[in-house]
Amino acid sequence: MMPTTTRVPHRVFGTSTSGNCHKVRLVLDILGIPYRWHEIEIMRGESRTPEYLAMNPNGQVPLLQIDDHTWLPESNAILCYLADGTRLWPGDRLQRARVLQWLFFEQNAHEPHIAGARFTRAFLKQPEHPRLPVMIQRGYQALAVMEQHLARAPYFAGEFSIADIALFAYTHRADEGGFDLAAYPAVRAWLERCLAQPGVSEMPMSH
Ligand SMILES: N[C@@H](CCC(=O)N[C@@H](CS)C(=O)NCC(=O)O)C(=O)O
């Protein structure tokens, strides 16, 4: 008789109201991959305990536990790992590079400002924070880049992919950071297309 192997489901250490963590939940739900979610209260320092730092020395969520000895941090790296070999990761070389282009854009030009403004207003409750105006200005710049692309194409890299999932996470809660999407009709239509994909859910609101 063939020996049976028990596959341990992926474990996700995440905070449900974090867009970086919601990306991971979305990919797992869309692909129907079983997982266990371990809620981490970052505001109570739970990602900075010695036990947590032993798994992720960078002390942040999300963190994917693949097996007893293997952990993967960084939301977009987790997305690439989970999507490899699936319809969310294109076969074409240029389209794969396009996915990476938008994943880097998300972390560099989008998340620091759009998620940063949401964190400052909705979590820190500091609407007068001196860095907020720059975050709002740079966040709108990122939204304008997205609007320009989405006016010509339904998704960021050909078909619906992890590039869309990564950008969806904080864009659909941008209002919590003080952003108004009224002047971005292509972005709003794309958000609806993303939400219509099986497995895509909205992230819980900050309060
Ligand atoms: N580049 C990282 C950013 C992760 C990140 O900023 N995580 C935040 C929550 S969204 C966090 O863990 N903050 C708690 C802390 O830094 O102590 C990723 O994409 O995973």
Side-chain angles (χ1 to χ4, degrees):
M1 210 166 98
M2 291 285 286
T4 53
T5 52
T6 321
R7 264 189 69 93
V8 179
H10 290 103
R11 287 167 183 246
V12 181
F13 295 86
T15 303
S16 294
T17 50
S18 148
N20 286 319
C21 300
H22 194 63
K23 296 172 191 177
V24 177
R25 190 194 289 284
L26 290 179
V27 173
L28 289 161
D29 286 347
I30 292 166
L31 296 175
I33 299 172
Y35 61 97
R36 292 199 196 130
W37 185 274
H38 297 262
E39 189 70 17
I40 299 290
E41 297 278 349
I42 52 173
M43 302 304 274
R44 287 207 219 122
E46 288 181 9
S47 65
R48 301 281 167 167
T49 63
E51 295 76 23
Y52 193 88
L53 291 172
M55 298 189 292
N56 179 10
N58 201 31
Q60 292 195 319
V61 288
L63 179 67
L64 181 73
Q65 181 166 5
I66 296 167
D67 61 35
D68 284 350
H69 311 284
T70 314
W71 292 270
L72 183 64
E74 290 298 328
S75 59
N76 289 352
I78 298 171
L79 264 48
C80 291
Y81 174 79
L82 293 172
D84 189 49
T86 76
R87 67 184 175 86
L88 299 177
W89 183 241
D92 176 75
R93 181 182 179 188
L94 179 59
Q95 290 299 356
R96 278 200 302 276
R98 291 273 180 232
V99 169
L100 291 174
Q101 172 195 332
W102 288 107
L103 293 183
F104 292 130
F105 167 86
E106 190 267 344
Q107 284 288 290
N108 182 260
H110 182 282
E111 192 260 16
H113 315 304
I114 294 186
R118 175 174 176 262
F119 186 72
T120 306
R121 290 178 69 111
F123 291 83
L124 298 180
K125 313 266 187 224
Q126 293 181 11
E128 307 299 330
H129 195 287
R131 289 179 57 196
L132 204 46
V134 173
M135 287 186 213
I136 297 289
Q137 185 210 349
R138 302 280 297 274
Y140 275 126
Q141 277 175 21
L143 289 168
V145 172
M146 293 168 66
E147 179 72 15
Q148 195 181 30
H149 176 87
L150 291 167
R152 302 188 311 258
Y155 297 110
F156 282 98
E159 302 295 320
F160 180 72
S161 74
I162 53 172
D164 299 285
I165 295 166
L167 283 161
F168 172 83
Y170 283 110
T171 307
H172 85 289
R173 285 279 177 253
D175 58 321
E176 292 192 315
F179 294 94
D180 182 357
L181 298 186
Y184 302 86
V187 170
R188 284 188 283 115
W190 162 80
L191 287 175
E192 291 305 317
R193 280 195 293 282
C194 290
L195 271 171
Q197 293 279 338
V200 174
S201 58
E202 293 188 343
M203 175 165 66
M205 294 186 65
S206 59
H207 49 276

XYZ file of all heavy atoms in Angstrom, residues 1-63:
503
model
N 0.842 -1.205 0.000
C 0.000 0.000 0.000
C 0.880 1.260 0.000
O 1.904 1.299 0.684
C -0.883 -0.017 1.253
C -2.203 0.671 1.069
S -3.330 0.234 2.433
C -3.141 1.635 3.484
N 0.491 2.235 -0.810
C 1.260 3.492 -0.860
C 1.131 4.237 0.479
O 0.041 4.290 1.051
C 0.699 4.407 -1.954
C 0.928 3.917 -3.361
S 2.634 4.165 -3.855
C 2.661 5.925 -4.103
N 2.234 4.762 0.996
C 2.102 5.552 2.230
C 1.276 6.814 1.958
O 1.380 7.407 0.885
C 3.554 5.921 2.584
C 4.326 5.757 1.316
C 3.579 4.766 0.459
N 0.453 7.179 2.909
C -0.348 8.398 2.718
C 0.383 9.575 3.363
O 1.002 9.434 4.414
C -1.738 8.263 3.370
O -1.545 7.875 4.711
C -2.597 7.274 2.634
N 0.367 10.698 2.705
C 0.989 11.895 3.281
C -0.120 12.864 3.668
O -1.064 13.071 2.912
C 1.923 12.587 2.271
O 1.195 12.797 1.077
C 3.154 11.768 1.983
N -0.003 13.402 4.858
C -0.999 14.369 5.304
C -0.475 15.756 4.980
O 0.597 16.134 5.441
C -1.204 14.273 6.827
O -1.163 12.908 7.178
C -2.518 14.887 7.251
N -1.209 16.473 4.168
C -0.790 17.838 3.834
C -1.312 18.791 4.898
O -2.513 18.887 5.122
C -1.341 18.237 2.466
C -0.338 18.018 1.341
C -0.895 18.638 0.081
N -0.908 20.091 0.184
C 0.071 20.860 -0.243
N 1.134 20.339 -0.790
N -0.008 22.163 -0.141
N -0.389 19.473 5.548
C -0.801 20.464 6.550
C -1.298 21.686 5.795
O -0.612 22.171 4.897
C 0.405 20.836 7.442
C 0.013 21.876 8.478
C 0.977 19.595 8.091
N -2.503 22.200 6.118
C -2.963 23.392 5.406
C -2.035 24.577 5.679
O -1.405 24.644 6.735
C -4.349 23.675 5.991
C -4.668 22.577 6.909
C -3.432 21.764 7.148
N -1.956 25.468 4.708
C -1.185 26.684 4.934
C -1.737 27.414 6.155
O -2.935 27.414 6.390
C -1.298 27.613 3.724
C -0.593 27.108 2.513
N -1.234 26.539 1.442
C 0.717 27.103 2.195
C -0.349 26.200 0.522
N 0.839 26.530 0.954
N -0.825 28.026 6.894
C -1.252 28.895 8.000
C -0.920 30.321 7.601
O 0.184 30.584 7.124
C -0.486 28.579 9.277
C -0.896 27.300 9.930
C 0.109 26.916 10.987
N -0.275 25.641 11.561
C -0.657 25.469 12.825
N -0.655 26.485 13.657
N -1.003 24.292 13.264
N -1.864 31.213 7.841
C -1.622 32.629 7.576
C -1.656 33.373 8.901
O -2.634 33.262 9.653
C -2.686 33.235 6.626
C -2.377 34.709 6.350
C -2.778 32.459 5.333
N -0.602 34.099 9.210
C -0.598 35.007 10.350
C -0.944 36.373 9.772
O -0.163 36.927 8.969
C 0.769 35.007 11.038
C 1.100 33.669 11.643
C 1.700 32.677 10.881
C 0.769 33.396 12.963
C 1.990 31.429 11.429
C 1.045 32.148 13.512
C 1.659 31.165 12.746
N -2.108 36.880 10.137
C -2.546 38.114 9.496
C -3.498 38.912 10.365
O -4.022 38.432 11.369
N -3.712 40.150 9.948
C -4.651 41.067 10.597
C -5.765 41.331 9.589
O -5.489 41.799 8.474
C -3.919 42.377 10.983
O -2.812 42.043 11.818
C -4.836 43.354 11.676
N -6.998 41.020 9.984
C -8.093 41.031 9.000
C -8.347 42.394 8.381
O -8.849 42.475 7.257
C -9.377 40.523 9.655
O -9.221 39.168 9.982
N -8.025 43.479 9.095
C -8.277 44.818 8.548
C -7.064 45.362 7.797
O -7.062 46.532 7.415
C -8.645 45.797 9.686
O -7.661 45.675 10.723
C -10.028 45.511 10.234
N -6.049 44.538 7.569
C -4.867 44.970 6.805
C -5.015 44.545 5.342
O -5.262 43.365 5.050
C -3.600 44.329 7.398
O -2.635 44.100 6.383
N -4.847 45.500 4.438
C -4.943 45.176 3.013
C -3.858 44.207 2.572
O -4.101 43.318 1.746
N -2.659 44.357 3.103
C -1.591 43.429 2.733
C -1.981 41.999 3.097
O -1.642 41.052 2.386
C -0.280 43.828 3.417
C 0.354 45.049 2.784
O 0.364 45.185 1.560
N 0.880 45.958 3.593
N -2.685 41.839 4.212
C -3.133 40.505 4.633
C -4.354 40.063 3.826
O -4.485 38.881 3.488
C -3.458 40.511 6.118
S -2.042 40.957 7.141
N -5.233 41.013 3.519
C -6.441 40.665 2.760
C -6.080 40.112 1.377
O -6.748 39.214 0.870
C -7.353 41.888 2.645
C -8.731 41.551 2.180
N -9.592 40.735 2.896
C -9.398 41.880 1.036
C -10.725 40.598 2.226
N -10.632 41.280 1.095
N -5.004 40.628 0.786
C -4.535 40.085 -0.514
C -4.328 38.581 -0.435
O -4.687 37.837 -1.351
C -3.154 40.659 -0.871
C -3.036 42.097 -1.102
C -1.523 42.407 -1.222
C -1.262 43.866 -1.186
N 0.196 44.176 -1.226
N -3.704 38.145 0.667
C -3.379 36.723 0.820
C -4.667 35.914 0.971
O -4.848 34.866 0.345
C -2.444 36.523 2.038
C -2.158 35.053 2.264
C -1.148 37.312 1.841
N -5.588 36.437 1.775
C -6.886 35.753 1.937
C -7.583 35.613 0.579
O -8.140 34.557 0.253
C -7.775 36.548 2.908
C -9.027 35.791 3.306
C -10.046 36.685 3.982
N -9.722 37.144 5.314
C -9.803 36.396 6.425
N -10.133 35.124 6.346
N -9.542 36.913 7.609
N -7.544 36.699 -0.220
C -8.236 36.667 -1.517
C -7.667 35.584 -2.424
O -8.418 34.823 -3.039
C -8.129 38.035 -2.210
C -8.929 39.171 -1.586
C -8.714 40.467 -2.360
C -10.417 38.838 -1.536
N -6.340 35.513 -2.525
C -5.750 34.509 -3.425
C -6.107 33.101 -2.956
O -6.474 32.234 -3.767
C -4.219 34.692 -3.526
C -3.591 33.553 -4.308
C -3.897 36.006 -4.196
N -6.048 32.856 -1.650
C -6.395 31.527 -1.130
C -7.871 31.215 -1.413
O -8.206 30.102 -1.838
C -6.108 31.483 0.379
C -4.624 31.483 0.750
C -4.436 31.899 2.208
C -3.986 30.124 0.502
N -8.740 32.201 -1.204
C -10.177 31.975 -1.434
C -10.472 31.776 -2.925
O -11.256 30.910 -3.303
C -10.998 33.163 -0.899
C -11.070 33.173 0.624
O -10.704 32.159 1.256
O -11.478 34.219 1.185
N -9.851 32.587 -3.773
C -10.107 32.470 -5.221
C -9.657 31.102 -5.718
O -10.342 30.455 -6.519
C -9.373 33.595 -5.992
C -9.976 34.960 -5.680
C -9.404 33.335 -7.497
C -9.122 36.137 -6.129
N -8.511 30.642 -5.239
C -7.965 29.369 -5.719
C -8.513 28.165 -4.949
O -8.219 27.023 -5.299
C -6.435 29.397 -5.638
C -5.744 30.430 -6.545
C -4.248 30.449 -6.296
C -6.034 30.130 -8.034
N -9.296 28.431 -3.903
C -9.875 27.328 -3.132
C -8.834 26.522 -2.374
O -8.987 25.311 -2.171
N -7.773 27.180 -1.929
C -6.707 26.507 -1.172
C -7.088 26.540 0.315
O -7.349 27.622 0.853
C -5.350 27.220 -1.385
C -4.956 27.200 -2.863
C -4.259 26.596 -0.522
C -3.725 28.052 -3.192
N -7.114 25.380 1.002
C -7.446 25.398 2.431
C -6.358 26.099 3.248
O -5.173 25.985 2.918
C -7.524 23.916 2.827
C -7.338 23.127 1.589
C -6.815 24.035 0.519
N -6.762 26.810 4.289
C -5.785 27.497 5.134
C -6.360 27.734 6.522
O -7.572 27.681 6.713
C -5.362 28.837 4.512
C -6.486 29.838 4.321
C -6.740 30.852 5.254
C -7.302 29.776 3.191
C -7.768 31.771 5.066
C -8.327 30.688 3.006
C -8.555 31.689 3.939
O -9.583 32.587 3.747
N -5.464 27.969 7.454
C -5.882 28.389 8.801
C -5.402 29.813 9.013
O -4.224 30.099 8.772
C -5.262 27.492 9.865
C -5.796 26.096 9.818
C -5.522 25.372 11.128
N -5.698 23.950 10.914
C -4.823 23.034 11.261
N -3.732 23.374 11.889
N -5.044 21.769 10.994
N -6.286 30.636 9.467
C -5.979 32.066 9.673
C -5.725 32.307 11.161
O -6.568 31.984 11.998
C -7.166 32.916 9.209
C -6.927 34.395 9.270
C -7.113 35.220 10.345
C -6.472 35.233 8.203
N -6.791 36.518 10.016
C -6.401 36.558 8.697
C -6.119 35.006 6.862
C -6.004 37.634 7.922
C -5.720 36.078 6.079
C -5.654 37.367 6.611
N -4.562 32.853 11.484
C -4.242 33.192 12.873
C -4.268 34.714 12.990
O -3.400 35.391 12.410
C -2.856 32.665 13.261
C -2.778 31.175 13.199
N -2.914 30.376 14.310
C -2.612 30.339 12.147
C -2.826 29.101 13.941
N -2.636 29.053 12.642
N -5.241 35.226 13.689
C -5.395 36.679 13.786
C -4.299 37.271 14.685
O -4.104 36.816 15.820
C -6.787 37.020 14.329
C -7.157 38.489 14.278
C -7.379 39.011 12.850
O -7.570 38.218 11.900
O -7.342 40.253 12.695
N -3.594 38.247 14.159
C -2.511 38.917 14.884
C -2.937 40.360 15.133
O -3.266 41.075 14.184
C -1.200 38.901 14.057
C -0.739 37.462 13.783
C -0.108 39.717 14.741
C -0.240 36.711 15.002
N -2.936 40.776 16.396
C -3.311 42.157 16.747
C -2.044 43.006 16.712
O -1.310 43.073 17.711
C -3.925 42.195 18.155
C -5.210 41.413 18.299
C -6.423 42.196 17.806
O -6.281 43.405 17.550
O -7.494 41.585 17.674
N -1.801 43.646 15.549
C -0.551 44.404 15.442
C -0.537 45.600 16.385
O 0.508 45.978 16.895
C -0.250 44.852 13.986
C -1.435 45.582 13.366
C 0.214 43.700 13.137
C -1.116 46.187 12.006
N -1.725 46.179 16.650
C -1.764 47.359 17.513
C -1.430 46.994 18.960
O -1.142 47.863 19.770
C -3.133 48.051 17.439
C -3.544 48.500 16.046
S -2.351 49.606 15.249
C -2.872 51.194 15.865
N -1.490 45.695 19.276
C -1.106 45.251 20.626
C 0.295 44.645 20.617
O 0.702 43.970 21.568
C -2.096 44.206 21.147
C -3.420 44.793 21.533
C -4.094 43.923 22.613
N -5.516 43.852 22.362
C -6.188 42.736 22.175
N -5.586 41.564 22.227
N -7.475 42.778 21.962
N 1.025 44.822 19.509
C 2.415 44.368 19.451
C 2.590 42.875 19.235
O 3.681 42.329 19.435
N 1.514 42.184 18.791
C 1.624 40.721 18.668
C 2.558 40.268 17.543
O 2.935 39.108 17.504
C 0.230 40.103 18.480
C -0.602 40.133 19.743
C -1.982 39.496 19.587
O -2.260 38.869 18.530
O -2.785 39.647 20.512
N 2.905 41.195 16.631
C 3.863 40.809 15.574
C 5.306 41.128 15.988
O 6.229 40.983 15.188
C 3.525 41.529 14.267
O 3.693 42.926 14.419
N 5.472 41.545 17.234
C 6.820 41.923 17.703
C 7.253 41.085 18.905
O 8.216 41.432 19.580
C 6.843 43.419 18.070
C 6.469 44.334 16.903
C 7.614 44.539 15.942
N 7.172 45.151 14.685
C 7.996 45.651 13.780
N 9.295 45.629 13.965
N 7.533 46.150 12.654
N 6.542 40.012 19.197
C 6.942 39.150 20.324
C 8.146 38.301 19.887
O 8.352 38.079 18.682
C 5.789 38.210 20.721
O 5.513 37.347 19.611
C 4.534 38.991 21.106
N 8.932 37.793 20.846
C 10.066 36.929 20.464
C 9.616 35.727 19.636
O 10.298 35.345 18.673
C 10.642 36.483 21.815
C 10.205 37.535 22.789
C 8.889 38.049 22.301
N 8.456 35.149 19.964
C 7.968 33.978 19.212
C 7.670 34.366 17.763
O 8.000 33.640 16.834
C 6.681 33.409 19.844
C 6.844 32.844 21.244
C 6.959 33.923 22.328
O 6.504 35.067 22.102
O 7.542 33.614 23.393
N 7.038 35.530 17.591
C 6.701 35.947 16.219
C 7.966 36.316 15.445
O 8.123 35.941 14.276
C 5.708 37.119 16.234
C 5.109 37.364 14.864
C 3.964 36.687 14.463
C 5.725 38.227 13.947
C 3.439 36.869 13.189
C 5.204 38.415 12.679
C 4.065 37.739 12.307
O 3.554 37.914 11.040
N 8.884 37.032 16.107
C 10.123 37.444 15.424
C 10.976 36.241 15.020
O 11.746 36.327 14.069
C 10.918 38.399 16.317
C 10.285 39.783 16.516
C 11.051 40.577 17.576
C 10.226 40.571 15.209
N 10.799 35.122 15.720
C 11.528 33.908 15.316
C 10.998 33.396 13.970
O 11.733 32.772 13.201
C 11.379 32.833 16.384
N 9.731 33.687 13.680
C 9.153 33.265 12.387
C 9.410 34.311 11.314
O 9.653 33.984 10.156
C 7.635 33.054 12.525
C 7.238 31.960 13.498
S 5.475 31.597 13.426
C 4.735 33.090 14.083
N 9.288 35.592 11.689
C 9.515 36.696 10.748
C 10.303 37.799 11.445
O 9.723 38.629 12.148
C 8.186 37.259 10.222
C 8.417 38.426 9.260
O 9.559 38.691 8.853
N 7.356 39.123 8.911
N 11.631 37.821 11.252
C 12.459 38.819 11.936
C 12.052 40.259 11.620
O 12.394 41.169 12.363
C 13.868 38.519 11.418
C 13.812 37.110 10.931
C 12.412 36.901 10.437
N 11.300 40.449 10.535
C 10.857 41.804 10.186
C 9.611 42.227 10.966
O 9.172 43.373 10.852
C 10.612 41.890 8.669
C 10.651 43.308 8.157
O 11.376 44.160 8.709
N 9.870 43.604 7.133
N 9.023 41.317 11.724
C 7.964 41.680 12.662
C 6.688 42.215 12.039
O 6.014 43.039 12.645
N 6.353 41.754 10.849
C 5.145 42.277 10.211
C 4.237 41.144 9.745
O 4.662 39.988 9.609
C 5.527 43.159 9.013
C 6.227 44.453 9.445
C 6.281 45.480 8.343
O 6.526 45.142 7.192
N 6.068 46.723 8.694
N 2.997 41.505 9.493
C 2.053 40.615 8.830
C 1.853 41.146 7.414
O 2.053 42.341 7.180
C 0.695 40.583 9.585
C 0.817 39.823 10.881
C 0.133 41.988 9.818
N 1.473 40.282 6.472
C 1.158 38.866 6.599
C 2.406 37.993 6.590
O 3.475 38.419 6.138
C 0.332 38.589 5.333
C 0.922 39.504 4.307
C 1.283 40.751 5.065
N 2.187 36.760 7.083
C 3.238 35.749 7.070
C 2.575 34.425 6.720
O 1.576 34.050 7.340
C 3.892 35.682 8.452
C 5.009 34.660 8.637
C 6.227 35.035 7.785
C 5.423 34.581 10.109
